[in-house]
mmCIF file of all heavy atoms in Angstrom:
data_model
loop_
_atom_site.group_PDB
_atom_site.id
_atom_site.type_symbol
_atom_site.label_atom_id
_atom_site.label_comp_id
_atom_site.label_asym_id
_atom_site.label_seq_id
_atom_site.Cartn_x
_atom_site.Cartn_y
_atom_site.Cartn_z
ATOM 1 N N VAL B 1500 -30.298 8.188 10.996
ATOM 2 C CA VAL B 1500 -29.154 9.091 10.807
ATOM 3 C C VAL B 1500 -28.885 9.912 12.061
ATOM 4 O O VAL B 1500 -27.747 9.993 12.550
ATOM 5 C CB VAL B 1500 -29.386 10.014 9.593
ATOM 6 C CG1 VAL B 1500 -28.318 11.111 9.546
ATOM 7 C CG2 VAL B 1500 -29.366 9.217 8.297
ATOM 8 N N TYR B 1571 -42.969 -1.917 14.953
ATOM 9 C CA TYR B 1571 -43.971 -2.067 13.903
ATOM 10 C C TYR B 1571 -44.826 -3.312 14.139
ATOM 11 O O TYR B 1571 -46.031 -3.311 13.884
ATOM 12 C CB TYR B 1571 -43.308 -2.154 12.525
ATOM 13 C CG TYR B 1571 -42.956 -0.808 11.933
ATOM 14 C CD1 TYR B 1571 -41.671 -0.298 12.044
ATOM 15 C CD2 TYR B 1571 -43.911 -0.036 11.276
ATOM 16 C CE1 TYR B 1571 -41.337 0.948 11.516
ATOM 17 C CE2 TYR B 1571 -43.586 1.206 10.757
ATOM 18 C CZ TYR B 1571 -42.304 1.687 10.872
ATOM 19 O OH TYR B 1571 -41.982 2.924 10.357
ATOM 20 N N LYS B 1753 -76.904 -5.508 34.686
ATOM 21 C CA LYS B 1753 -77.458 -6.311 33.604
ATOM 22 C C LYS B 1753 -78.158 -5.420 32.580
ATOM 23 O O LYS B 1753 -78.834 -4.465 32.929
ATOM 24 C CB LYS B 1753 -78.457 -7.331 34.147
ATOM 25 C CG LYS B 1753 -77.811 -8.554 34.780
ATOM 26 C CD LYS B 1753 -78.867 -9.586 35.127
ATOM 27 C CE LYS B 1753 -78.210 -10.840 35.731
ATOM 28 N NZ LYS B 1753 -79.210 -11.881 36.050
#
Side-chain angles (χ1 to χ4, degrees):
V1500 170
Y1571 278 97
K1753 282 187 178 181

